[in-house]
Amino acid sequence: MLRINNLTTSFKINKKLYPAVKDINITLEKGETLCIVGESGSGKTITSLSLMQLLPSNGEISSGEIIYKDQDITKFGKKKMNKLRGKSISMIFQDPMSALDPVYTCGYQIKEVLDFHENYTNEEKVERVISLLKQVGIPHPKNIYNAYPHELSGGMCQRVVIAMALACDPDLLIADEPTTALDVTIQAKILKLLNDLKEQRNLSILLITHDLGVVAEMADKVIVMYAGEVVEVADINTLFDHPKHPYTKGLIGSVASISSKGNQLYSIPGKVPSITEMPKGCRFNTRCPLASDKCFIERPELEFVTDHTSQEVRCWNVDTVGGKQNEPASLRNKKCKKTLSSQK
Amino acid sequence: MLKFILKQIFVAIIQILIVATIVFSLLRFMPGDPAVLALGTERGSDPEAVQQMREQLGLNEPFLTQFADWIAGVFQLDFGQSLFNNVQVWDYLASSIPKTLELAIAAIIIGSVVGVTLGILASINRGGMIDKLATSIAAIGLSFPVYITGTAFVLILSIQFNLLPSSGYVDFFDDPIGHLKSLIMPSFAISLPLIASITRMTRSSMLEVLDRDFVRTLRAKGLSEKIILIRHVLRNAVISVVTVIGLEMANLIGGTVLIEYMFNWSGLSTLLVDSINSRDYPIIQGAVIIIASFYILINRTVEIIYGLMDPRTR
């Protein structure tokens, strides 16, 4: 249903163009949940904003195509894109408290989507808004209809935002860290709500998160991004059982668990390079425990691994179908495990 | 909401009471006998005149009675008589209040319409030509004092092109068109700094709202840019602009003396300055209380409008 081919989005900083995300390839089928994971600054949000064409004014899609239902939407004009946004593709954002206009009631803000995209009578719209509020699990929908955003809790606001996103029965929902600003119990409820809605409506979800717990809960397929590049693609079980890229291993290694209590929590050393000073070769080279000379010179391609059919990885140190290695794979894996455990 | 409005009215009454008390005390606490002060040095040396003045000002009554009478008078708009003739202070005030209000309202309307429009245009063209032009106009408006712009208007519009009368108040009921003509220049001269501050406020608060997260949500809803700007961004931005407009309006009630003199438009501030020059204490008291009351009422009204516009403050 959605195919992103070689998407590159660049930002103009001091009159120079810097690619913020480079050569992104994503496919998403109907009824599927795809998670994009990575640290802050890895280009997850830029990818989703490119898809919605909501980039800040200094950003632009510089190459690639976004095929949605057999049409390249990067070629769409403003008007055509407005018809698509909120109707067929909708999006929810990180902080629900600031995602709503403070001076209008919640009901009005949901109704506004219907005003723009559907030809209902006013009563039909009000009825639809109330039923939407009910569907997202809001207890007194009629009261909430007339409530202002500041009168609601974060979890309630996020439900209102979700109701707004679902108002016109979209086919694709993009959720950019939908639970990051909420406390844990509410997080679980919102995630369950999203999963239920996905089942009921056969919705495709593109979920952006840095939380591997959320990934485990929601994803069918996972894309790991680092410094504007996709470094690993796999289905959910393969990713957690056999992570290949050292970055993915690092991310999984840095999740706290009760069994590792008392040990120091692993963290990937260093930070994501900034957009203006990307390293040559593999972008993860400065933080990678396995980095060899080659990693500093030549950029690896995203390629299928040899032992799992649907897993792709961008690393010189993993056996890939088309890749050339510089040492036997078995040895490297041992080395990686050793480095991880020594850092624990 | 009703409770909120009642609260504002209550606050206003208390504030006016405080002002009345201060104005009352000023004359009493000034060194020397108020009656002598009121009479001036020459006539103050005549004991009979002083005695008469004490009678007239009610200074022979006990202090609290004087105070109670004064407060009661204020709320009935009875401020006594002028010291130099037997005309009631209120009659003086009644003839100048409409002029002041008219001038202030005209200037505020011009300032708001032009200022808000320029501010919106500047904010949506951030960094562009219109933005630069609007901010320059704002800078010019703020940096020239009204007597310079007023003089320039007179020189160009009246003397050079003879389009508008150079000064003078024409009563509306005698000559409505002449009245409006004579209103144009003073109100424009006063509105220039208003345009400047309203433009700047509108621009900066539009930009601030444009940066907020909910604007992205609105775009994600597929709304057109025009609706986002007018229905949402402007609606949020205008809340702080209203405050500025209110404050400016309040300042105009007693602060247009230069323009009033220049265009011979004798409003409240002219009355106040004239009575200070002639030491006509009852008129000073009356004018100060009226100006302060308008100030207070406008501020309370702004507070109420603010509450109506921003659900978070209700």
Side-chain angles (χ1 to χ4, degrees):
Chain A
M1 191 183 64
L2 174 74
R3 233 176 50 240
I4 298 182
N5 293 330
N6 295 317
L7 174 81
T8 300
T9 298
S10 308
F11 277 79
K12 211 176 202 167
I13 298 166
N14 294 332
K15 295 188 177 163
K16 269 177 92 180
L17 269 182
Y18 293 95
V21 294
K22 208 173 166 190
D23 301 333
I24 303 289
N25 289 294
I26 291 175
T27 41
L28 179 59
E29 301 302 330
K30 190 139 189 61
E32 198 180 46
T33 302
L34 175 72
C35 280
I36 304 184
V37 262
E39 288 164 281
S40 323
S42 55
K44 303 167 294 187
T45 300
I46 298 301
T47 308
S48 65
L49 291 180
S50 306
L51 177 50
M52 286 294 269
Q53 295 186 24
L54 288 176
L55 290 164
S57 54
N58 61 341
E60 56 166 34
I61 297 173
S62 37
S63 67
E65 41 182 25
I66 300 170
I67 312 287
Y68 176 73
K69 290 188 171 169
D70 304 322
Q71 282 178 297
D72 183 1
I73 60 173
T74 56
K75 304 257 178 342
F76 276 22
K78 254 189 185 163
K79 273 225 170 97
K80 227 172 158 188
M81 203 57 215
N82 275 346
K83 289 229 170 75
L84 200 66
R85 283 196 285 250
K87 165 94 177 148
S88 190
I89 306 179
S90 54
M91 183 159 184
I92 56 182
F93 296 97
Q94 182 167 357
D95 184 1
M97 302 293 263
S98 62
L100 294 166
D101 186 336
V103 302
Y104 291 101
T105 60
C106 296
Y108 177 85
Q109 295 190 53
I110 302 174
K111 196 162 81 77
E112 211 176 21
V113 190
L114 299 172
D115 289 339
F116 208 74
H117 294 293
E118 313 279 353
N119 291 318
Y120 295 147
T121 64
N122 201 43
E123 289 86 70
E124 282 171 337
K125 283 182 207 157
V126 175
E127 220 164 273
R128 169 123 180 100
V129 172
I130 292 185
S131 97
L132 279 165
L133 288 171
K134 222 180 274 171
Q135 283 172 51
V136 295
I138 282 174
H140 304 286
K142 280 188 184 141
N143 298 347
I144 300 299
Y145 186 98
N146 290 316
Y148 287 95
H150 72 275
E151 296 167 328
L152 304 182
S153 65
M156 278 296 163
C157 276
Q158 195 61 298
R159 285 172 199 265
V160 170
V161 174
I162 293 171
M164 199 152 77
L166 297 176
C168 300
D169 279 317
D171 299 308
L172 170 62
L173 178 70
I174 305 171
D176 186 354
E177 310 230 5
T179 55
T180 307
L182 304 173
D183 62 53
V184 183
T185 49
I186 311 295
Q187 264 185 27
K189 284 183 185 155
I190 296 288
L191 291 179
K192 183 171 179 304
L193 172 68
L194 285 176
N195 260 339
D196 291 350
L197 291 167
K198 173 189 149 194
E199 298 291 317
Q200 285 162 22
R201 297 168 173 243
N202 201 20
L203 193 67
S204 310
I205 299 180
L206 183 67
L207 183 73
I208 290 157
T209 181
H210 61 256
D211 185 342
L212 288 171
V214 172
V215 175
E217 191 77 24
M218 303 287 293
D220 297 313
K221 229 165 70 185
V222 186
I223 286 180
V224 183
M225 283 190 72
Y226 179 79
E229 288 181 331
V230 175
V231 294
E232 186 158 2
V233 182
D235 66 70
I236 176 81
N237 293 324
T238 317
L239 189 92
F240 278 98
D241 295 342
H242 310 282
K244 294 284 186 195
H245 197 282
Y247 180 61
T248 316
K249 289 178 186 173
L251 281 181
I252 294 173
S254 17
V255 175
S257 79
I258 193 77
S259 58
S260 61
K261 197 177 172 183
N263 302 330
Q264 196 185 349
L265 190 61
Y266 173 70
S267 68
I268 307 171
K271 59 178 187 343
V272 184
S274 90
I275 179 171
T276 50
E277 36 198 54
M278 281 299 169
K280 232 182 123 192
C282 171
R283 291 183 167 183
F284 190 56
N285 57 19
T286 50
R287 304 171 71 188
C288 184
L290 299 176
S292 61
D293 292 347
K294 192 176 185 182
C295 303
F296 286 93
I297 300 161
E298 214 176 321
R299 179 174 174 241
E301 292 299 320
L302 188 66
E303 279 173 298
F304 283 104
V305 300
T306 42
D307 48 352
H308 289 276
T309 46
S310 64
Q311 191 174 13
E312 291 170 84
V313 69
R314 186 191 295 276
C315 182
W316 289 122
N317 294 312
V318 176
D319 292 325
T320 54
V321 174
K324 308 154 236 141
Q325 298 88 36
N326 36 17
E327 52 181 315
S330 53
L331 195 84
R332 285 190 311 270
N333 275 340
K334 258 186 211 154
K335 210 165 138 191
C336 191
K337 266 186 196 143
K338 221 172 107 190
T339 336
L340 279 178
S341 53
S342 71
Q343 269 160 332
K344 267 184 185 172
Chain B
M1 196 61 217
L2 188 71
K3 210 174 140 195
F4 179 74
I5 293 173
L6 286 176
K7 190 185 145 206
Q8 296 301 325
I9 294 172
F10 178 72
V11 172
I13 293 172
I14 299 288
Q15 284 174 329
I16 293 173
L17 262 178
I18 294 172
V19 171
T21 313
I22 293 171
V23 170
F24 169 81
S25 333
L26 275 181
L27 200 61
R28 270 48 176 195
F29 293 149
M30 268 197 265
D33 188 336
V36 180
L37 269 175
L39 285 169
T41 35
E42 218 169 287
R43 287 201 297 154
S45 53
D46 175 4
E48 206 161 301
V50 171
Q51 196 50 42
Q52 207 186 336
M53 186 49 78
R54 293 187 71 87
E55 204 72 42
Q56 193 193 329
L57 293 175
L59 291 174
N60 294 330
E61 309 274 340
F63 190 76
L64 279 177
T65 320
Q66 286 179 38
F67 182 64
D69 284 349
W70 161 249
I71 295 291
V74 166
F75 282 95
Q76 292 164 39
L77 300 174
D78 174 12
F79 304 100
Q81 294 176 343
S82 161
L83 291 180
F84 303 107
N85 50 38
N86 289 337
V87 179
Q88 288 288 321
V89 170
W90 174 246
D91 292 342
Y92 278 106
L93 293 171
S95 75
S96 44
I97 290 172
K99 293 180 190 166
T100 289
L101 284 183
E102 192 184 353
L103 199 55
I105 290 169
I108 281 292
I109 291 173
I110 298 169
S112 311
V113 171
V114 180
V116 170
T117 315
L118 280 179
I120 294 171
L121 290 176
S123 68
I124 56 181
N125 287 291
R126 184 183 204 168
M129 272 308 285
I130 301 176
D131 186 15
K132 280 174 190 145
L133 195 70
T135 29
S136 323
I137 293 175
I140 292 168
L142 273 185
S143 43
F144 283 105
V146 284
Y147 49 87
I148 304 264
T149 46
T151 319
F153 279 176
V154 171
L155 280 175
I156 297 166
L157 295 177
S158 317
I159 297 174
Q160 202 70 32
F161 295 105
N162 207 15
L163 290 173
L164 296 165
S166 64
S167 82
Y169 177 82
V170 183
D171 196 273
F172 183 79
F173 297 103
D174 295 344
D175 178 6
I177 293 171
H179 174 83
L180 291 178
K181 268 185 169 173
S182 62
L183 178 65
I184 292 176
M185 278 203 292
S187 49
F188 262 97
I190 296 174
S191 70
L192 275 182
L194 299 180
I195 290 174
S197 57
I198 293 169
T199 302
R200 292 170 84 158
M201 191 68 206
T202 309
R203 178 180 180 274
S204 68
S205 76
M206 285 283 286
L207 289 177
E208 188 256 319
V209 177
L210 274 170
D211 259 359
R212 300 240 288 267
D213 285 353
F214 73 78
V215 179
R216 201 171 54 176
T217 315
L218 293 169
R219 295 209 170 106
K221 276 156 85 171
L223 300 190
S224 72
E225 201 64 13
K226 215 197 285 168
I227 288 188
I228 293 176
L229 274 178
I230 293 170
R231 196 190 282 171
H232 293 277
V233 179
L234 182 61
R235 176 66 179 71
N236 274 276
V238 94
I239 296 171
S240 40
V241 178
V242 163
T243 319
V244 172
I245 293 176
L247 282 177
E248 296 284 2
M249 171 96 189
N251 283 333
L252 287 184
I253 298 298
T256 52
V257 64
L258 290 171
I259 284 296
E260 287 185 13
Y261 266 100
M262 177 172 264
F263 291 95
N264 196 16
W265 188 280
S266 52
L268 269 177
S269 33
T270 305
L271 180 71
L272 181 61
V273 172
D274 287 347
S275 54
I276 289 173
N277 282 337
S278 60
R279 300 195 177 204
D280 200 338
Y281 291 100
I283 298 184
I284 299 178
Q285 289 181 324
V288 168
I289 285 183
I290 291 296
I291 290 170
S293 304
F294 270 114
Y295 199 97
I296 290 163
L297 289 177
I298 290 167
N299 273 304
R300 291 303 110 198
T301 312
V302 167
E303 205 72 23
I304 292 170
I305 294 175
Y306 203 99
L308 287 173
M309 295 186 79
D310 189 349
R312 285 163 299 181
T313 56
R314 269 175 229 162

